[in-house]
Amino acid sequence: MSETRTQKLETADASYVRVDRMRYEKNKKSSNLAVLAILFNALFFVSIYKSDVGTWYYSILIGASIVYNLLFMMIVFLISEGSKNYKIGYSYVAIVLGLMQFARILIYPVKAHGATTQATGEVVQVMKDAQYVRVLIYLLLSGACLIASAIIGISKCTALQKHLKNLENDPK
């Protein structure tokens, strides 16, 4: 009976120490996942923008995509820095951007994969199957990294906030 009680106390102490250490350490896991989301997004747009199939890519859609990618990378970098410092609001923004990455699949990759254009006198598919699968994977991984970053960030921020509140209320 006393061994079980001792084990529970040791587990509680280890949990307390783990949460207390968050006051002095950065949230690296959440931050690194956000940076990884930027990397996958960069691979996505390099794959899209290096394609030169006729004039299909010369449209307002590509201009909007370039602006979105630049804004995305800047905002996700801010999310990375904010989540590193346990700011919970950045995690909620990360969820929204992660979902937007999933929604982007329906915009550019789907349209380009289903389109054909005149290139060098013949009709060609704008985005072939291999490139289509690759850009889908990049967007899915980017969105998944952001959502994972947000979940970890919310979890750690909530635990740290509860811990800090307990420290304020503790009479010791």
Side-chain angles (χ1 to χ4, degrees):
M1 179 85 171
S2 66
E3 285 182 32
T4 306
R5 184 178 170 102
T6 304
Q7 288 173 342
K8 286 181 182 179
L9 288 174
E10 287 175 1
T11 304
D13 287 343
S15 177
Y16 177 86
V17 170
R18 182 178 40 82
V19 174
D20 195 53
R21 284 182 61 183
M22 283 194 270
R23 294 191 304 163
Y24 309 105
E25 293 180 346
K26 301 288 186 184
N27 184 0
K28 293 177 190 173
K29 190 180 292 186
S30 188
S31 178
N32 289 341
L33 281 168
V35 171
L36 193 57
I38 293 173
L39 174 69
F40 287 126
N41 186 69
L43 291 171
F44 162 76
F45 80 77
V46 166
S47 180
I48 292 285
Y49 302 151
K50 75 176 183 175
S51 299
D52 189 19
V53 182
T55 59
W56 195 87
Y57 284 106
Y58 303 115
S59 67
I60 191 73
L61 187 60
I62 194 77
S65 179
I66 290 170
V67 170
Y68 177 83
N69 280 316
L70 292 172
L71 288 173
F72 174 85
M73 289 188 290
M74 287 189 306
I75 292 169
V76 174
F77 180 75
L78 288 173
I79 288 169
S80 169
E81 290 301 309
S83 65
K84 189 186 299 184
N85 295 310
Y86 298 100
K87 307 277 190 210
I88 199 165
Y90 289 98
S91 296
Y92 296 121
V93 176
I95 290 172
V96 171
L97 284 179
L99 294 174
M100 286 176 69
Q101 287 295 85
F102 296 143
R104 287 180 71 193
I105 292 169
L106 302 174
I107 301 170
Y108 218 94
V110 169
K111 284 185 178 185
H113 187 251
T116 58
T117 188
Q118 288 275 337
T120 63
E122 61 185 58
V123 176
V124 294
Q125 187 176 11
V126 173
M127 186 183 290
K128 300 208 180 343
D129 292 339
Q131 182 185 16
Y132 178 67
V133 169
R134 190 171 56 249
V135 297
L136 287 181
I137 290 170
Y138 292 151
L139 284 176
L140 289 171
L141 288 173
S142 178
C145 285
L146 274 175
I147 291 175
S149 170
I151 290 169
I152 291 168
I154 290 169
S155 171
K156 286 188 172 188
C157 288
T158 304
L160 182 59
Q161 287 172 352
K162 285 180 183 177
H163 179 71
L164 292 174
K165 193 170 197 166
N166 286 340
L167 288 178
E168 288 175 5
N169 296 335
D170 193 12
K172 291 182 186 178

